[in-house]
Amino acid sequence: MSKFDAVVIGSGPAGLNAALYLVRAGLKTAILEKNTAGGQVLSTAEVENYLGFPKGAKGWELADLFSNHVNEYQVERIRADVTKLETIDENGVMHIIHLENGETLKTRAVIIATGAANRPLGIAEEEEYKGKGVSYCALCDGNFYRGLDVAIVGGGDSALEEALYLSRIVNKVYIIHRREGFRGTQIYLDKIRSMPEKIELVTSCVVDSLAGSPALQKVIVRHVETGEKRELAVEGLFVYIGHIPNTSFVPENLERNEQGFIKTDQEMLTNIPGIFAAGDIRAKMCRQVCTAVGDGATAASSAIRYLEHLNA
Ligand code: NAP
């Protein structure tokens, strides 16, 4: 069993920044990374609202910059899937982190920064068409639909941003949204509304069913009030309807909200001593790269203070 002063679970912007602060404070730190570092930034085509990048930055470039910055320091980066986080009493609160490969890590301070996964549509044919038209990543799969017509579901920043990205590759994008108002940022909406020949808004509609053989050829939408159905002849359907927090490994008694996001105070403390949470995994209003980075710094500062207090 390896022992660390602090362990960060997750290597998105929140986790990487937390690790940076921990290691710069002289703590023996490990980052547990399930996937390539960067989190959801990696599957974002263009980040336009990160301060200091007025011309925008490619998501993967930003992820690389974050990751390389952390590599300037002595931090242990472990490629691993965490299966369980448990808390025991060993001269005070001690956390044991179980990995899928059977190894365990021991630490007094854990920062959970595992972010969230794409929420599926939840309709019958979704599974059947995964990889055959249904996608959750425009950046990864958009190129397959070059010159074709596609649809996006959702009305948040992700849906709007990725619709703009896809509009540069495909022939036409339909945005299917369940109501008339959009929660995504106005600047994206203005851009979209200025190009009606490229992007069509299909509002107050939900996806009813999918059809086509052997791959997707039609998305059938249903008006939420009238029940009227309409067929959209598209070969790709990109789903951007929010996220589900990645918390499968956390202890039962770690407090979460109704959607499963971890509750913290403003210093990123959870209800369990020595467990902190940062980034999209947290119950909060604003989920941005900059807020994730800020959460990471705050969580690390709280962890540093917590460890100092234990050692005093
Ligand atoms: P989101 O803001 O939660 O939006 C999800 C969208 O999907 C909403 O429009 C919602 O409709 C719709 N929706 C939810 N469940 C649905 C269902 N079952 N069927 C149909 N539609 C459904 O998610 P997001 O766009 O992924 O963004 C997540 C967070 O990341 C946000 O805080 C966002 O601001 C942030 N983000 C920021 C940027 C950026 O600033 N560059 C980029 C991407 C994401 P309703 O509106 O009716 O609820």
Side-chain angles (χ1 to χ4, degrees):
M1 185 183 295
S2 322
K3 192 167 180 210
F4 292 90
D5 295 326
V7 174
V8 178
I9 310 178
S11 59
L16 289 173
N17 204 39
L20 182 70
Y21 274 64
L22 292 166
V23 76
R24 281 172 57 84
L27 296 176
K28 188 182 176 204
T29 304
I31 312 176
L32 301 178
E33 327 188 38
K34 185 174 174 183
N35 300 310
T36 308
Q40 287 180 52
V41 175
L42 260 192
S43 53
T44 304
E46 194 83 25
V47 178
E48 286 186 9
N49 57 358
Y50 195 69
L51 194 65
F53 294 83
K55 303 218 179 318
K58 303 267 178 273
W60 66 266
E61 278 175 342
L62 212 48
D64 260 12
L65 286 170
F66 291 167
S67 185
N68 292 341
H69 192 163
V70 173
N71 285 343
E72 294 288 315
Y73 297 88
Q74 281 279 325
V75 59
E76 191 145 347
R77 300 183 68 153
I78 303 170
R79 185 56 79 98
D81 195 354
V82 175
T83 53
K84 189 175 167 193
L85 167 60
E86 66 173 331
T87 297
I88 58 168
D89 185 4
E90 189 181 282
N91 304 319
V93 177
M94 180 67 84
H95 306 290
I96 310 293
I97 301 166
H98 299 260
L99 309 183
E100 200 179 37
N101 63 10
E103 285 177 25
T104 48
L105 278 70
K106 200 181 206 187
T107 184
R108 296 253 181 233
V110 182
I111 296 179
I112 304 175
T114 41
N118 297 307
R119 181 189 301 284
L121 262 182
I123 61 165
E125 304 87 0
E126 187 169 8
E127 202 56 41
E128 178 190 338
Y129 285 103
K130 259 188 204 166
K132 289 193 275 177
V134 172
S135 167
Y136 306 84
C137 178
L139 184 63
C140 324
D141 299 332
N143 218 26
F144 295 127
Y145 303 94
R146 193 166 279 275
L148 304 175
D149 290 357
V150 301
I152 281 190
V153 198
D157 279 329
S158 300
L160 301 186
E161 230 179 36
E162 301 310 318
L164 287 166
Y165 169 71
L166 283 170
S167 72
R168 300 196 285 272
I169 303 175
V170 303
N171 179 56
K172 179 166 182 172
V173 182
Y174 295 93
I175 300 179
I176 304 163
H177 181 38
R178 63 183 177 184
R179 59 191 174 96
E180 291 299 308
F182 284 81
R183 73 172 66 209
T185 308
Q186 191 61 39
I187 194 164
Y188 297 135
L189 208 50
D190 291 344
K191 278 189 199 170
I192 285 168
R193 289 203 162 115
S194 73
M195 48 202 298
E197 70 297 340
K198 274 308 261 193
I199 307 181
E200 181 179 332
L201 299 176
V202 182
T203 50
S204 295
C205 283
V206 292
V207 176
D208 184 80
S209 55
L210 309 176
S213 179
L216 184 71
Q217 290 167 316
K218 272 184 222 164
V219 171
I220 296 100
V221 297
R222 188 182 69 250
H223 196 279
V224 290
E225 279 153 24
T226 63
E228 195 183 325
K229 291 188 184 173
R230 175 181 170 195
E231 282 185 8
L232 304 176
V234 295
E235 290 176 58
L237 178 69
F238 292 86
V239 181
Y240 283 106
I241 59 167
H243 298 93
I244 301 168
N246 293 321
T247 52
S248 57
F249 60 90
V250 306
E252 282 281 303
N253 60 336
L254 186 69
E255 280 180 11
R256 280 159 280 171
N257 71 6
E258 319 75 60
Q259 288 91 39
F261 291 93
I262 298 172
K263 288 186 185 177
T264 68
D265 68 5
Q266 61 180 6
E267 309 301 342
M268 311 299 141
L269 270 65
T270 70
N271 64 309
I272 302 182
I275 299 184
F276 308 83
D280 284 4
I281 194 74
R282 220 162 65 73
K284 61 176 183 173
M285 192 195 75
C286 186
R287 293 195 166 83
Q288 305 284 309
V289 183
C290 59
T291 59
V293 166
D295 280 5
T298 307
S301 304
S302 293
I304 293 162
R305 205 167 43 194
Y306 173 78
L307 292 170
E308 279 170 358
H309 183 73
L310 287 184
N311 295 330

